[in-house]
Amino acid sequence: MSSLSGATVKLALSGDSVILRGALRGKQAPAERTLSLAFISAPRLGSAKKESVDEAFSLESREYLRRRAAGKAVRFSVAYTTASGREFGHLYLGPDLVRDNAALMIVREGWARVSDAARGKLSRSDTTDEDRMMIEDLVDGEQYARDGRRGMWDEAAKAGRPRLVAFEGDAAEFLAAHKGRELRGTVEMVRDAASLRVMLHLPQAHQMVTVALAGVRAPQVAEPFGAEARFNVELRLLQQDVKVRLEAPAHGAPGSFVGTVAHPAGNIAEWLVSSGFARVQDWSAAHASDPQRLRTLEREARTKRLRLWQSESADAPASSAVFEATVVRVVSGDTLVVADASGADREFQLASVRQPRAADPATAGYAELAREALRRFCIGKPVSVAVDYHKPATEGFRARDCATVRVRGEDAAARLVRAGLLGVLRHRADDDHRSSNYDELADAEAQAVAAKAGMHSGKPVAPAKLADVSESAARARSFLPHWQRSGRVPCVVEHVAGGARFRLLVAKDAAKLTFVLGGIRCPRAPRANDSDGEPWGAEALAYSQRHALQRNVEFEIEGVDKAGAFIGSLWLAKDQSLAEDLLRSGLASVHAFSADQSPHGAALRAAERQAQDAHRGMWADYDAAAAEAASRQVDEEKKARHAEPAAPLAPRTEFLDVVVSELERASGRFFVQIAQPDNIAGLESLMQALALDLKQPKQPADFAPKAGQLVAACYSVGDEWHRARLVKHMPGKRECEVLYVDFGNSEILPVDRIRPLSAKFSALPTQAHEAQLAFVSLPNESFASDYVNDSMDELRRLVEGRQLVANVEARPSNGPLHLTLYDPELGRPLIEKSVNGLIASAGFAVADKRALSTLHNQAAAAKIDALVAEARENHRGMWEYGDVTADD
């Protein structure tokens, strides 16, 4: 036997003939050759050119070989070549040269016979032993098929359905009978990448049709990338079984249709577009199985500049994939904000539409109606967002991403266009920046115009006028009885100012009001510049925005405050109170006085206890025993503040060795470390262990820093890891403000320099204790602000680098320690020689007569007051130009 070569079967021409394709070398098309199987003869398929018809069982014979060989890797050898150049040989579909011999397989199944020429070779003396053995095997195989009445040897068998190469029927009737149905077919020819000749296997016949792939346009073979595109489609589909859906008539010869072709490996149209071999075709995109996906794949290919897009500038949006999200805010009738899977807010304008002009009196009312219709349809609901294009910034307009937004499969833009509340933009023919659902939008506008809906009616609508009932306390009180009698009043949350403060719209009363949740206190949220916020304020604001903004809710009035804001409960659902939800999430605390006045006070306290027990939010470090002790101390302090002046509190005596570790310039406060050997050794040991633990630091993927959380932070100077408490998280900047709890200093760090703190490093109490000088107040922003730096320089001179002795004059339940600091080098601990006395004498302090330390030690406070008065009289320090505390 001659040596075997490898190839791939491009297609089976008949039951005894195939076209073989060689290996791909570089960018050149691989070589092809036609091989006829030696020694056998199969029924012939007819030819339109030769005006011949199919012989009986010719299609069945061809199909047998096609199903087993088309697209498969095979081995072959050429036995002989005729004078006309026709090659005859042997084809092997597997490794076994007998069992996998294609000729023997097809003969044994009864779909071919041994040729007369081959039988004649058995009686010739020049026939080789190898050929003689192979012909004998084929003869035995044919006899096996005849005896078993297999294939065409079955006398009872009839030829199958006819093969109709030409389309002679009525194309419209054919389409009406089969439109949208899934039809089995075989790809017989690839004209170009987007035009296929497919044999449909119908009950009555095998009908040949031309299918233009819906939604795509591929280059012709002579155009750039045309030949490469066709070759790749042939590799994937030629003579492969596919499923076809016919959708519309196509231009061209009879029997041409627009449709989709699906292979078990995927959708060929989508593959062509994603590979840059085809563009999306607008007019037929509506007939594609998933036009949105086609447009998304085209944007991705264009962004990557694949093939057809190599020389074009791809102005694709930041994210062109379809993603799931939730609508959290409606900005206008054509713009909304969604929260994606990561929780990030993203603003989109609805693609290819425009809202009515708010500045035009004829359409201003429709602009409000469009916004309200979009809010009712979308707010709080899961949506599918397909980013269609990016609109760059122009004069007076910022850059925007434009998308198609669907709610339960319905296009939100098309819904509003159909109602006459949005208009459809007209794009240039060469403008690819358009909605992926543009055809439906255009159809919806035609329907709205025909029905004279909305702004197409020609009738202007006046904008709604709402009375602000919270503009004054008097006006608010006039509405109070009406709404209290009404019980729960339906409304819409128009704006969220804080975790517990809202702006509500009451449509039935044509009113808007300011509303505050009663019985709770939410931390103050930071302003736009990320300043002035309290821990957990941002989280509380975000929670209320996510769950209440622009939602249909109900409010229940309990009272009105001095500014005209209504106080009460806000119900997100029948039994869902927003105040209780905030408390349960640890984002609010019970306001005792207000809760006592509320009919829901018990439920509010129960919700707060749930958060405390679960250590959620602001209660992450909650200690029930410590909280109870602090509560008792607060009660004692209140009693002390309201006690008769003749009964002062007893002075405290609690001396500690301390070191001032940090000074706060803005507030005049400072941090001290208690200088005890055990504390120092414990801190040093902890820092060494922390450094080893974070030697190869890797931030967990799910790490989400929260204000108040104890973390490990890498100090910007020296790159050392320390324990810290997270003061503020700024997600927009990916930064956090942290306070180093063992030293008292603070700084702003990138999020990647922060790690979760293992529980084993929390056992040692924090070593930095916030404190302030007892009996005095230092200059700050509220008074003598020009002397803040001078006073802090003086304080630093007195305390820096020294081990001091501190007497704890007072321990407030919620605030810094009140300390009197003494320098042992100055002798006996006299108040006049204390740091407190020296800074008062230098003219950089005023006596704080309301301080808790003053109530505890009035004698020492009086001496400090005298030192302050003496400095004022001598114009020292901040008194150099007079009394800085006097009113202007």
Side-chain angles (χ1 to χ4, degrees), residues 419-470:
L421 300 177
L422 291 179
V424 178
L425 298 175
R426 298 290 180 263
H427 296 281
R428 299 190 313 271
D430 61 345
D431 185 6
D432 293 328
H433 290 176
R434 64 180 65 192
S435 168
S436 55
N437 196 34
Y438 189 82
D439 295 334
E440 184 181 348
L441 294 178
D443 183 61
E445 186 174 49
Q447 295 178 35
V449 171
K452 296 183 178 181
M455 59 185 177
H456 304 294
S457 66
K459 301 175 183 178
V461 173
K465 295 182 179 181
L466 301 176
D468 185 358
V469 299
S470 289

Side-chain angles (χ1 to χ4, degrees), residues 24-41:
L24 183 65
R25 290 183 174 86
K27 294 185 177 181
Q28 293 184 350
E32 296 181 358
R33 67 199 304 170
T34 301
L35 181 72
S36 298
L37 301 185
F39 308 141
I40 70 170
S41 175

Side-chain angles (χ1 to χ4, degrees), residues 39 80 90 116-136:
F39 308 141
Y80 59 93
H90 310 300
D116 293 338
R119 290 180 183 272
K121 288 176 73 70
L122 290 176
S123 60
R124 291 171 53 179
S125 59
D126 59 348
T127 303
T128 63
D129 291 341
E130 182 182 345
D131 285 353
R132 187 181 303 278
M133 185 180 300
M134 185 171 290
I135 295 171
E136 289 174 351

Side-chain angles (χ1 to χ4, degrees), residues 23 31 47 125 131 223 294 361 381 469 508 596 601 616 665 708 778:
S47 170
S125 59
D131 285 353
E223 296 176 341
L294 285 179
K381 296 178 182 178
V469 299
K508 71 182 185 70
D596 290 341
R616 296 193 192 105
R665 183 173 295 273
L778 302 185

Side-chain angles (χ1 to χ4, degrees), residues 273-316:
V273 173
S274 67
S275 301
F277 281 124
R279 305 169 187 263
V280 175
Q281 190 176 55
D282 286 339
W283 73 267
S284 65
H287 302 300
S289 57
D290 191 348
Q292 289 186 18
R293 177 161 175 76
L294 285 179
R295 294 189 185 275
T296 300
L297 293 172
E298 183 184 54
R299 282 193 295 272
E300 292 176 355
R302 190 170 185 173
T303 301
K304 298 174 183 176
R305 300 193 179 188
L306 300 177
R307 297 181 177 90
L308 294 177
W309 309 109
Q310 284 181 358
S311 61
E312 298 201 20
S313 175
D315 186 17

Side-chain angles (χ1 to χ4, degrees), residues 53 96 288 419 435 565 666 746 868 886:
V53 298
D96 193 305
S435 168
S746 60
V868 171

Side-chain angles (χ1 to χ4, degrees), residues 662-664 671 715-716 724-725 727 736-741 743-749:
E662 180 69 16
L663 294 173
E664 287 187 355
F671 287 84
Y715 192 42
S716 59
R725 190 172 303 283
V727 178
C736 293
E737 181 181 350
V738 298
L739 171 70
Y740 295 102
V741 296
F743 298 93
N745 56 318
S746 60
E747 66 173 342
I748 294 176
L749 293 175

